């Protein structure tokens, strides 16, 4: 078939690797499609919408200036929550949704305060997830603390869109420069100010003293603060202190401070923010606009959804008879209708083979009778061909007949077959305004399915396994996009067991304190219903008879716990009563216990949607409670290809390898175990036991800096302390919990026929630390792997120098440390190595140290971060003569002499 040029270009756009959820596009220097979404829990306030408009309008001009007349905001959609009253000015959204918004407006959870931040966990230059502003930040005067809101927005937009990082560091606020001076961590060094300790403050006035040097570190004492001058000449950098009036630019190659120990240097290999920004996709097609005129202010659309509208479009073609696919689809659809879809949603259903039939027009889910009316029409026989476009078109009709418009609706499309005509409806799908979630079942599903998801902002899934657990996991992940996570179903357990005839299996699942409402236990089987015993934490027993079966023969039974499920460990036992082996699955879902307490949730995704076999990918999983990261969980990823070959990966939150920041609740790991071309699926399992998991109370990374104050004409004028403070440590233990989530699908291409795997070096070491231990130097770092962050490296190269440039630019010429006794540990382990320095160490000597790892293929890692050691000896205190004490002691001695002489005469 021949396609017109616009369709071909459209396909190319949506098949690019690394696609993310944002709808933003840069056209002729202006951003179109920016979405700012207000959380449903935020009280209605018309001033909030006005402040958002003012912020973006100012940000547009500031961004245009910062990008040297290249980029501005042309149009912006503000998504009004359904909890606000309807108004005539509110339009119906198309594909805009809270969970794919570029900016969210939501209250913080617990103590995270009002600092604007960006959820950013990718590598340098990679787009982030979203920007978070609080209503309080937008409605109050924060000018002295952050600068104008428009400036703060541009700071965060650089995180979000261009993948640059902050140029300050609150954990390392000072460093020793190559000129042997103590400098504030900043960019550029042209930003001036004072280094002070605040002793006592009343209002904005403080008693201060100069900072003292800590002779253990060579740096200033911990209480030292850098307070910038109010009036500056420096114009950079927005990623340091955007609130300084003179700052209108990003640090360039000429002004960049490559020595500062900040995240920008760590993540971007000491490149300037402007260099990274210039390499972004935006800047490849955005030349500076000529002339001196400013661009027009942005236009705003106010959008408000009426509620969730979903249509199931299910394949019942002849190939669905293979591997019990029709049965498994029906079991998963029943789970979705009874447990996952939110109350009040409108749901319809279409089935298709060579033709398509509307089985149910939109039905409002208000209770058991509503979803039973849809379940009753699930297909019982499979036959015919596969006409995907006809299924979609009937899905649109089912929605339109009840809802008048497909804009803002969702379609869940499941198919196992190919359709040579699928491309013919791409343009219709694009124009529909509907979001298409696709589920490719088995290896023969149409290769174009993912294009439907990518072009509409939908989820994309692939299920290879022949048991029901894969489909259960996928359907459980298609929840509401409204931002109301207390209404969303949470999957706790999804396990498949092969049970021999007559045998029992046992298992446990924890119900934690954040959930318990609307809790379901579902058991499915392939031959005969098993014997079921379920016991709650208070030893109440639920037997087989309490598990309900639908009238249709879909071999599934469920139990809904009335009220709030007991917190604690639930135990289940299953007996296969048939003589033959059969597969039995257990799925457990629940919802938040309270509307005021967000549940613990887990999400997962790959760093990109497509990969060549010669490139590495990163697996990400975010574990959180509300906006707070959850630390200390055991997170395991399972990646399965079309041949059902599965790779298991333990994900880490250790700040090393693929993980950007330690203890931020983002668990990650490199993945390069490609075996074949085609689709791969991702799911994650999160487990926490014995109070090991905790919520993080530390300050977030990637925030617009809260300015401590400023110096004006020599006078220090301080801002109120940040109400949030730095935040330390972690909260109390969260108890036992478990979560499961699907991370969708990705495609691998380019694998050679001989299945030769590419070779990768060990991952770069990014957390090298050094200290003096008597006459020795002690190093510590996280061990890399033999291949990236897996396995064990072969050996290490450690070199030291008194000059930083020798280490960074000519590492091979620096002094080599003898590492013959150093045997690399398994990846992720902590390495400790001590050695006697091979050069003379005197008071004030600076030593720069770096390390590389070599694997069995003789591939060498990138150079590590550079650790700095300074030998400081505290000054010897000279004894000052005490004249008064000497006079008294002399008089005492004289008196003693007289007594001695008198005694001698007697």
């Amino acid at each position: 078939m021949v396609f017109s040029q616009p369709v071909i270009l459209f396909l190319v756009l949506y098949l690019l690797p690394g696609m993310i959820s944002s709808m933003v596009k840069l056209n002729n220097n202006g951003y179109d499609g920016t979405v700012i979404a207000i959380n449903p829990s935020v009280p209605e306030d018309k001033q909030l919408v006005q402040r958002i408009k003012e912020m973006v309008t100012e940000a547009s001009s500031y961004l245009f200036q910062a990008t040297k007349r290249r980029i501005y905001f042309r149009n912006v959609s503000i998504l009004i929550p359904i909890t606000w009253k309807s108004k005539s000015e509110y339009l119906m959204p198309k594909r805009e949704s809270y969970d794919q918004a570029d900016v969210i407006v939501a209250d913080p959870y617990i103590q995270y305060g009002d600092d604007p931040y960006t959820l950013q966990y990718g590598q340098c230059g990679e787009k982030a997830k979203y920007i978070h502003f609080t209503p309080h930040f937008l409605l109050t005067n924060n000018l002295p603390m952050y600068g104008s809101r428009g400036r703060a927005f541009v700071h965060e937009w650089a995180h979000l869109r261009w993948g640059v990082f902050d140029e300050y560091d609150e954990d390392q606020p000072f460093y020793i420069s190559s000129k042997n001076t103590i400098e504030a961590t900043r960019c550029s060094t042209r930003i001036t100010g004072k280094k002070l300790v605040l002793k006592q403050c009343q209002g904005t006035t403080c008693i201060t003293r100069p900072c003292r040097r800590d002779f253990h570190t060579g740096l200033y004492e911990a209480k030292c603060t850098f307070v910038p001058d109010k009036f500056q000449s420096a114009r950079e950098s927005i990623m340091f202190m955007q609130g300084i009036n003179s700052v209108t630019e990003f640090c360039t190659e000429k002004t960049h401070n490559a020595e500062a120990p900040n995240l920008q240097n760590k993540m971007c290999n000491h490149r300037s923010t402007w260099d990274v920004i210039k390499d972004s996709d935006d800047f490849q097609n955005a030349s500076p606009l000529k002339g001196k005129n400013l661009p027009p202010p942005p236009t705003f659309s106010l959008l408000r959804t009426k509620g969730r509208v979903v249509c199931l479009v299910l394949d019942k073609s002849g190939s669905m008879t293979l591997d019990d696919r029709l049965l498994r689809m029906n079991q998963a659809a029943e789970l979705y209708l009874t447990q996952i879809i939110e109350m009040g949603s409108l749901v319809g259903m279409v089935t298709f083979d060579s033709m398509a039939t509307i089985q149910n027009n939109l039905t409002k889910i208000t209770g058991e009778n509503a979803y039973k009316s849809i379940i009753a029409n699930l297909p019982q026989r499979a036959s015919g061909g596969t006409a995907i476009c006809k299924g979609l078109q009937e899905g649109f009709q089912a929605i339109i007949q009840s809802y008048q418009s497909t804009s803002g609706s969702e379609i869940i499309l499941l198919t196992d077959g190919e359709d040579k005509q699928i491309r013919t409806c791409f343009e219709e799908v694009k124009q529909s305004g509907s979001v298409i979630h696709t589920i490719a079942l088995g290896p023969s599903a149409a290769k174009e399915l993912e294009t439907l998801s990518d072009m509409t902002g939908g989820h994309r899934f692939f299920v290879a396994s022949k048991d029901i657990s894969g489909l259960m996991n996928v359907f459980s992940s298609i929840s509401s996009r409204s931002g109301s996570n207390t209404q969303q179903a949470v999957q706790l357990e999804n396990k498949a067991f092969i049970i021999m005839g007559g045998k029992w299996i046992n298992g446990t699942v924890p119900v934690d304190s954040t959930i318990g409402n609307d809790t379901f236990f579902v058991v499915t089987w392939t031959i005969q219903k098993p014997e079921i015993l379920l016991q709650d934490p208070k030893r109440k027993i639920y037997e087989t008879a309490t598990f309900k079966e639908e009238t249709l023969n879909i071999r599934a039974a469920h139990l809904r716990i009335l009220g709030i499920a007991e917190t604690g460990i639930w135990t289940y036992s299953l007996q296969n009563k048939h003589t033959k082996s059969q597969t039995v699955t257990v799925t457990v879902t629940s919802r938040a216990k309270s509307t005021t307490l967000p549940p613990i949730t887990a999400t997962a995704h790959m760093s990109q949607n497509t990969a060549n076999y010669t490139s590495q990918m990163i697996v990400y999983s975010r574990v959180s409670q509300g906006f707070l990261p959850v630390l200390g969980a055991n997170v395991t990823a399972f990646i399965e290809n079309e041949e059902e070959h599965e790779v298991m990966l333990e994900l880490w939150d250790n700040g090393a390898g693929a993980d950007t920041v330690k203890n931020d609740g983002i668990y990650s790991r490199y993945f390069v175990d490609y075996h074949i071309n085609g689709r791969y699926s991702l799911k994650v399992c999160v487990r926490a036991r014995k109070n090991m998991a905790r919520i993080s109370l530390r300050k977030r990374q990637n925030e617009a800096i809260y300015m401590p104050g400023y110096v004006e004409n020599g006078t220090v004028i301080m801002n109120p302390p940040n109400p949030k403070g730095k935040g330390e440590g972690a909260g109390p233990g969260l108890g036992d919990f478990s979560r499961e989530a699907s991370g969708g699908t990705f495609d691998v291409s380019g694998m050679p026929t001989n299945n030769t795997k590419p070779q990768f070096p060990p991952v770069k070491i990014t957390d090298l630390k050094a200290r003096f231990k008597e006459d020795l130097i002690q190093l510590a770092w996280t061990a890399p792997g033999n291949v990236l962050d897996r396995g064990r490296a072969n050996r290490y190269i450690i070199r030291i120098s008194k000059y930083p440039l020798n280490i960074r630019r000519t590492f091979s010429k620096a002094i080599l440390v003898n590492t013959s006794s150093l045997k690399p540990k398994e990846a992720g382990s902590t390495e400790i190595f001590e050695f006697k320095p091979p050069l003379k160490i005197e008071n004030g000597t600076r030593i720069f140290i770096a390390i590389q790892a070599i694997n069995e293929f003789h591939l060498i890692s990138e150079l590590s971060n550079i650790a700095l050691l300074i030998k400081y000896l505290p000054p010897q205190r000279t004894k000052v003569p005490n004249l008064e004490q000497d006079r008294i002691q002399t008089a005492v001695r004289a008196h003693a002499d007289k007594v001695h002489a008198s005694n001698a005469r007697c």
Side-chain angles (χ1 to χ4, degrees):
M1 179 178 285
V2 179
F3 303 101
S4 64
Q5 186 177 6
V7 173
I8 294 175
L9 292 176
F10 179 72
L11 287 175
V12 170
L13 173 65
Y14 282 101
L15 290 175
L16 288 173
M19 295 298 293
I20 65 166
S21 57
S22 175
M23 299 172 64
V24 176
K25 298 290 183 290
L26 184 68
N27 298 311
N28 298 323
N29 298 89
Y31 281 128
D32 296 325
T34 304
V35 176
I36 300 175
I38 301 172
N39 190 278
S41 65
V42 174
E44 185 167 0
D45 188 338
K46 64 180 181 180
Q47 287 298 317
L48 184 60
V49 175
Q50 183 59 33
R51 294 292 179 269
I52 292 171
K53 291 180 177 180
E54 292 169 0
M55 176 182 69
V56 178
T57 301
E58 183 199 2
S60 184
S61 297
Y62 189 55
L63 182 67
F64 189 67
Q65 182 180 11
T67 57
K68 307 183 190 304
R69 299 184 59 82
R70 283 180 174 86
I71 297 175
Y72 63 96
F73 292 102
R74 180 181 288 113
N75 63 70
V76 176
S77 296
I78 301 176
L79 199 58
I80 305 297
I82 195 172
T83 51
W84 290 24
K85 294 177 182 177
S86 179
K87 293 183 180 180
S88 58
E89 62 190 286
Y90 296 160
L91 306 175
M92 176 70 75
K94 286 191 175 181
R95 298 186 175 101
E96 298 86 355
S97 66
Y98 183 92
D99 73 337
Q100 292 181 323
D102 306 289
V103 181
I104 62 172
V105 178
D107 287 315
Y109 177 52
I110 305 184
Q111 68 168 60
Y112 255 54
D114 294 309
D115 290 348
Y117 72 89
T118 302
L119 183 61
Q120 179 181 13
Y121 42 85
Q123 302 298 298
C124 181
E126 293 183 2
K127 295 179 176 66
K129 177 64 176 173
Y130 60 72
I131 298 168
H132 180 183
F133 292 113
T134 68
H136 188 261
F137 172 82
L138 293 169
L139 292 170
T140 57
N141 178 23
N142 300 299
L143 186 64
M145 298 81 164
Y146 303 99
S148 66
R149 283 184 282 268
R151 285 171 170 251
F153 186 25
V154 171
H155 176 102
E156 299 306 328
W157 187 263
H159 285 307
L160 178 77
R161 188 69 183 178
W162 302 316
V164 296
F165 296 86
D166 287 326
E167 291 171 324
Y168 66 90
D169 193 298
E170 293 197 345
D171 292 330
Q172 298 182 76
F174 298 97
Y175 69 98
I176 297 177
S177 74
S178 58
K179 297 178 181 178
N180 207 21
T181 58
I182 301 179
E183 297 289 344
T185 300
R186 67 200 193 280
C187 192
S188 72
T189 55
R190 295 173 59 217
I191 298 288
T192 58
K194 289 188 176 183
K195 307 173 186 73
L196 304 167
V197 172
L198 310 176
K199 296 180 66 176
Q200 185 178 353
C201 295
Q202 286 189 345
T204 60
T205 304
C206 295
I207 298 173
T208 66
R209 64 167 173 81
C211 299
R212 300 189 185 111
R213 177 169 273 183
D214 183 333
F215 288 97
H216 293 288
T217 64
L219 296 169
Y220 288 131
E221 58 195 302
K223 295 180 180 179
C224 186
T225 300
F226 176 74
V227 183
D229 293 326
K230 183 173 184 178
F231 302 106
Q232 305 267 354
S233 60
R235 291 181 293 180
E236 65 286 321
S237 167
I238 292 170
M239 300 313 293
F240 173 54
M241 278 190 178
Q242 73 287 332
I244 296 175
N245 287 337
S246 66
V247 169
T248 56
E249 297 179 1
F250 296 96
C251 267
T252 65
E253 184 179 2
K254 292 181 179 179
T255 58
H256 180 59
N257 180 8
E259 295 182 342
N262 54 37
L263 204 55
Q264 172 64 23
N265 280 329
K266 173 189 173 182
M267 295 302 301
C268 297
N269 201 21
H270 302 272
R271 295 175 64 200
S272 75
T273 53
W274 184 244
D275 284 346
V276 175
I277 291 169
K278 286 195 302 182
D279 285 345
S280 69
D281 292 339
D282 288 345
F283 275 64
Q284 304 312 305
N285 299 303
S287 300
L289 293 179
K290 297 179 180 179
K292 295 183 179 181
N293 294 334
L294 293 175
T299 60
F300 297 91
S301 301
L302 303 182
L303 311 177
R304 180 183 178 274
T305 183
K306 294 181 181 178
R308 194 174 187 200
V309 177
V310 180
C311 186
L312 302 177
V313 178
L314 306 177
D315 186 352
K316 65 178 189 71
S317 62
S319 57
M320 290 291 288
T321 58
L322 300 173
D323 302 321
D324 284 332
R325 289 175 185 171
L326 190 74
L327 171 67
R328 289 189 287 138
M329 177 185 75
N330 289 344
Q331 290 173 333
E334 183 202 14
L335 169 101
Y336 184 75
L337 292 166
T338 57
Q339 301 169 56
I340 307 303
I341 192 71
E342 296 78 15
M343 282 291 174
S345 301
L346 296 174
V347 181
M349 185 171 70
V350 167
T351 58
F352 69 93
D353 43 41
S354 303
M355 303 298 293
T357 304
I358 297 175
Q359 301 292 348
N360 295 83
N361 286 312
L362 295 183
T363 302
K364 190 169 186 177
I365 304 298
T366 55
E368 189 171 310
N369 290 334
Y371 65 71
K372 277 188 173 182
S373 67
I374 304 174
I375 292 172
N377 291 328
L378 287 169
Q380 297 302 297
R381 290 183 299 173
S383 62
T386 305
I388 294 172
C389 281
K390 290 182 179 179
L392 289 173
Q393 289 161 349
E394 284 300 285
F396 295 151
Q397 286 301 311
I399 295 169
I400 289 171
Q401 288 178 17
S402 305
Y403 200 61
Q404 298 181 343
S405 172
T406 54
S407 288
S409 65
E410 300 170 65
I411 284 180
I412 300 175
L413 170 63
L414 184 150
T415 182
D416 73 338
E418 297 182 6
D419 180 0
K420 295 181 180 179
Q421 303 300 314
I422 188 172
R423 292 182 176 87
T424 60
C425 61
F426 277 1
E427 189 61 29
E428 183 178 356
V429 167
K430 180 185 174 184
Q431 297 300 326
S432 70
S434 184
V435 174
I436 314 294
H437 308 297
T438 58
I439 303 172
L441 183 57
S444 300
K447 301 304 179 185
E448 300 85 355
L449 279 180
E450 286 78 12
T451 305
L452 294 171
S453 296
D454 291 342
M455 71 169 66
T456 62
H459 296 299
R460 40 188 293 182
F461 300 103
F462 163 63
V463 179
S465 57
K466 294 181 176 61
D467 61 64
I468 183 57
S469 63
L471 269 180
M472 292 283 201
N473 195 55
V474 162
F475 270 93
S476 296
S477 298
I478 310 175
S479 56
S480 170
R481 295 148 43 93
S482 70
S484 180
N485 60 7
T486 59
Q487 300 299 316
Q488 295 174 356
V490 177
Q491 185 171 247
L492 313 185
E493 184 91 329
N494 181 24
K495 283 186 178 179
F497 304 93
I498 298 176
I499 308 177
M500 305 293 289
K503 299 297 182 180
W504 286 85
I505 63 96
N506 302 305
T508 60
V509 58
V511 174
D512 59 271
S513 60
T514 69
I515 55 167
N517 189 27
D518 201 27
T519 302
F520 276 85
F521 289 80
V522 179
V523 177
T524 70
W525 57 91
T526 53
I527 302 175
Q528 181 181 348
K529 185 178 181 180
E531 188 72 21
I532 307 170
L533 291 176
L534 176 67
Q535 179 177 283
D536 76 6
K538 292 187 175 180
R539 299 192 174 183
K540 179 179 179 180
I541 302 295
Y542 300 86
E543 297 182 339
T544 308
T546 61
F547 282 73
K548 294 183 180 180
E549 289 184 69
E550 297 299 334
T551 54
L552 293 175
N553 182 26
I554 59 176
R555 302 175 206 167
H558 68 263
L559 169 67
R560 181 180 184 183
I561 305 300
L562 298 177
I564 302 297
E566 291 289 343
T567 298
I569 303 298
W570 290 63
T571 303
Y572 57 84
S573 299
L574 305 170
Q575 184 192 28
N576 178 10
K577 297 193 296 183
H578 200 273
T579 56
K580 294 182 179 180
S581 298
Q582 69 168 331
T583 300
V584 178
T585 68
V586 177
T587 303
V588 185
T589 63
S590 188
R591 298 184 198 271
K593 179 182 291 187
S594 166
T595 57
T596 59
L597 179 69
I600 297 168
T601 58
T603 61
H605 75 276
M606 301 298 294
S607 56
Q608 54 195 54
N609 289 339
T610 62
N612 186 276
Y613 88 109
T614 58
S615 61
Q616 64 259 30
M617 300 185 75
I618 299 176
V619 188
Y620 293 111
S621 179
R622 180 189 179 204
V623 186
S624 60
Q625 184 182 8
F627 295 112
L628 291 181
V630 172
L631 315 181
N634 295 317
V635 183
T636 306
F638 297 88
I639 300 171
E640 186 178 32
N641 66 22
E642 292 181 359
E643 295 178 349
E644 298 188 59
H645 178 272
E646 186 176 77
V647 174
M648 183 175 71
L649 272 179
E650 181 185 353
L651 306 186
W652 298 331
D653 184 16
N654 60 0
D659 194 60
T660 304
V661 176
K662 183 177 182 179
N663 289 339
D664 64 350
I666 308 298
Y667 299 76
S668 51
R669 199 82 181 273
Y670 281 106
F671 174 73
V672 291
D673 287 339
Y674 313 127
H675 286 264
I676 59 172
N677 291 321
R679 293 183 174 108
Y680 289 66
S681 66
L682 165 67
K683 75 170 182 179
V684 296
C685 299
V686 181
R687 301 287 183 266
R689 298 290 185 269
K690 299 179 180 180
N691 278 331
M692 294 299 291
R694 288 168 164 76
I695 56 174
S696 172
L697 301 179
R698 284 179 55 83
K699 181 180 173 68
R700 281 190 182 275
Q701 300 280 349
N702 310 316
E703 292 184 339
I705 193 170
Y706 185 101
M707 294 175 61
Y710 52 89
V711 180
E712 185 175 5
N713 299 324
T715 301
V716 178
I717 302 173
M718 297 302 294
N719 288 321
N722 191 338
K724 181 178 65 176
K726 288 187 177 181
E728 296 295 337
L734 293 172
D736 293 0
F737 70 84
S738 64
R739 298 291 186 271
E740 300 202 4
S742 173
T745 181
F746 63 96
D747 294 286
V748 173
S749 61
M751 283 288 294
T753 54
N754 61 5
N755 217 14
T756 301
K757 293 185 178 180
Q759 295 177 352
F760 298 95
V763 73
K764 174 182 176 179
I765 296 166
T766 59
D767 60 351
L768 177 65
K769 296 179 177 64
R771 71 183 186 96
F772 282 109
K773 185 180 178 182
E774 297 178 349
D775 294 333
L776 301 177
I777 293 175
Q778 185 185 77
L779 303 181
W781 67 94
T782 301
N786 184 56
V787 177
L788 297 171
D789 56 6
R790 299 188 69 186
R792 190 191 304 260
N794 191 45
R795 62 188 178 92
Y796 293 113
I797 302 172
I798 301 175
R799 293 182 183 271
I800 70 174
S801 175
K802 292 184 178 180
Y803 308 101
L805 294 182
N806 284 12
I807 286 286
R808 186 177 300 139
R809 296 180 182 176
T810 56
F811 180 70
S812 61
K813 296 181 181 179
I815 300 171
L816 184 66
V817 175
N818 184 351
T819 57
S820 58
S821 63
L822 177 57
K823 305 301 180 186
K825 295 181 180 179
E826 192 72 18
S829 305
T830 299
E831 298 272 26
I832 303 289
F833 179 62
E834 297 175 355
F835 63 96
K836 189 171 183 178
L839 43 76
K840 187 176 180 180
I841 305 295
E842 299 175 325
N843 187 28
T845 298
R846 297 185 307 153
I847 301 175
F848 298 89
I849 309 172
I851 184 171
Q852 288 181 314
I854 302 178
N855 68 9
E856 62 178 315
F857 310 113
H858 307 291
L859 299 176
I860 304 175
S861 70
E862 291 183 46
L863 188 67
S864 72
N865 65 297
I866 299 173
L868 170 63
L869 267 180
I870 303 177
K871 188 68 172 181
Y872 269 109
L873 299 177
Q876 295 292 327
R877 294 191 177 186
T878 57
K879 187 174 181 180
V880 179
N882 189 325
L883 299 180
E884 179 63 19
Q885 184 69 24
D886 289 347
R887 185 188 66 77
I888 294 172
Q889 290 178 352
T890 301
V892 170
R893 283 195 298 270
H895 177 72
D897 289 344
K898 288 180 181 180
V899 172
H900 178 72
S902 175
N903 289 339
R905 287 195 298 271
C906 293

